């Protein structure tokens, strides 16, 4: 067990997601309201229930998979990029950085998503074409559930990060998911993507797709890879930072 003392009141200050993580690491049930989770977590702590080997192994696998997303092959060597959620701070705002966004088009999105689903080319491509302006991922973008997109050029690699928050569609008052995409700055090739939602390591959740759709829209409208100009705000407006949004009907 950790070399720290927790009280029942301490567990009461934890968020539900933290309580569930604490319990799941010990292979304990995570059902019930917050009061129940607090009681179970405190009881587990008092009884010194150890973290299960399965949980430790699973966490190691998740960390290894995440590191793979950050590893880029530069030809002569491989480079591990900084973690955009923890190690990058000099993000460029959407109004300032959009001119340098990579030229990602719909075909680039198709190629990337299909590469994550080998053997399903025909069905996946058809689904993407059908859902482009009808599916859930596009609605995240179109309804402003996807917030401002920040840009970060990764030095000496030719790649860049794009990052945004995305409000959960069914839980608009909850904390937004954090989404990032790594792409080549000039070619538009998508290298990897991640989201903090439960499907985030799969790289193709709706929140990732929503971010890609926004970048694609900017490229299609001709506002990326352009010199800075005073007319840009008239052509492109970053989404509001409000978390409560009204979906389009």
């Amino acid at each position: 067990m950790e070399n720290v003392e927790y009280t029942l009141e301490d567990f009461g200050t934890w968020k539900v997601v933290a309580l569930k993580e604490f319990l799941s690491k010990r292979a304990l049930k995570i059902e019930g309201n917050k009061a129940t989770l607090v009681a179970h977590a405190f009881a587990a702590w008092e009884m010194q229930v150890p973290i299960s080997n399965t949980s430790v192994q699973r966490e190691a696998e998740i960390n290894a998979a995440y590191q793979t997303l950050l590893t880029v092959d530069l030809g002569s060597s491989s480079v591990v990029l900084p973690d955009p959620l923890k190690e990058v701070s000099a993000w460029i705002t959407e109004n300032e950085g959009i001119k340098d966004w990579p030229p990602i088009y719909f075909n680039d999105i198709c190629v990337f998503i299909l590469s994550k689903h080998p053997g399903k080319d025909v069905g996946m491509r058809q689904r993407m074409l059908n859902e482009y302006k009808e599916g859930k991922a596009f609605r995240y973008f179109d309804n402003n559930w996807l917030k401002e997109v920040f840009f970060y050029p990764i030095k000496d690699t030719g790649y860049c990060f794009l990052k945004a928050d995305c409000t959960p569609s069914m839980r608009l008052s909850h904390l937004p998911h954090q989404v990032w995409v790594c792409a080549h700055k000039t070619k538009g090739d998508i290298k990897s993507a991640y989201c903090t939602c439960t499907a985030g390591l799969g790289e193709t959740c709706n929140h990732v797709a929503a971010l890609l759709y926004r970048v694609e829209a900017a490229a299609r409208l001709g506002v990326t890879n352009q010199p800075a100009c005073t007319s840009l705000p008239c052509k492109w407006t970053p989404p509001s930072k409000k978390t409560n949004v009204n979906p389009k009907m």
Side-chain angles (χ1 to χ4, degrees):
M1 300 292 283
E2 300 174 45
N3 187 25
V4 64
E5 290 296 328
Y6 287 121
T7 66
L8 181 62
E9 289 73 23
D10 289 330
F11 282 106
T13 65
W14 289 19
K15 293 183 178 180
V16 169
V17 64
L19 291 166
K20 288 185 175 181
E21 181 181 2
F22 179 88
L23 292 169
S24 63
K25 283 184 176 181
R26 291 158 177 79
L28 299 173
K29 293 182 179 180
I30 58 173
E31 291 81 14
N33 57 24
K34 182 175 180 178
T36 300
L37 296 175
V38 168
H40 288 172
F42 179 64
W45 180 258
E46 286 289 290
M47 296 171 64
Q48 297 188 346
V49 177
I51 296 176
S52 69
N53 290 332
T54 302
S55 296
V56 173
Q57 182 180 359
R58 176 58 180 159
E59 187 169 352
E61 291 173 351
I62 291 174
N63 290 335
Y66 189 71
Q67 285 300 306
T68 299
L69 300 182
L70 296 172
T71 303
V72 174
D73 184 1
L74 299 180
S76 59
S77 63
S78 294
V79 175
V80 178
L81 305 177
D83 185 345
L85 299 183
K86 297 179 180 178
E87 300 173 341
V88 176
S89 58
W91 292 98
I92 302 173
T93 63
E94 187 162 320
N95 271 336
E96 295 177 351
I98 193 171
K99 62 182 176 61
D100 296 317
W101 285 8
I104 294 175
Y105 293 95
F106 184 66
N107 186 64
D108 298 306
I109 300 175
C110 282
V111 169
F112 174 69
I113 292 182
L114 290 172
S115 71
K116 304 301 173 182
H117 299 272
K120 299 182 180 180
D121 290 5
V122 176
M124 185 66 67
R125 183 177 293 274
Q126 188 62 44
R127 195 191 82 183
M128 288 191 64
L129 290 172
N130 290 340
E131 292 189 353
Y132 177 47
K133 288 197 175 181
E134 298 176 6
K136 189 174 183 179
F138 188 84
R139 291 199 301 273
Y140 276 121
F141 155 56
D142 199 38
N143 287 314
N144 279 348
W145 286 328
L146 184 80
K147 302 307 176 183
E148 180 176 2
V149 177
F150 292 88
F151 173 77
Y152 178 78
I154 308 169
K155 187 178 180 181
D156 300 327
T157 66
Y159 287 88
C160 66
F161 282 129
L162 296 152
K163 183 189 76 165
D165 288 345
C166 191
T167 303
S169 61
M170 302 304 293
R171 299 178 177 87
L172 300 183
S173 62
H174 285 206
L175 290 175
H177 299 304
Q178 293 179 292
V179 189
W180 62 257
V181 167
C182 177
H184 196 279
K185 287 186 288 187
T186 58
K187 297 178 181 178
D189 297 337
I190 304 165
K191 191 276 170 190
S192 59
Y194 177 76
C195 177
T196 56
C197 74
T198 55
L201 274 175
E203 302 184 75
T204 58
C205 68
N206 286 316
H207 313 107
V208 166
L211 173 54
L212 292 173
Y213 283 150
R214 182 160 181 81
V215 179
E216 184 270 346
R220 179 164 35 84
L221 292 173
V223 294
T224 61
N225 288 309
Q226 300 291 331
C229 65
T230 56
S231 63
L232 179 59
C234 299
K235 298 167 62 177
W236 186 267
T237 304
S240 166
K241 293 183 179 180
K242 294 189 299 182
T243 56
N244 294 324
V245 294
N246 296 315
K248 296 180 181 179
M249 302 302 290

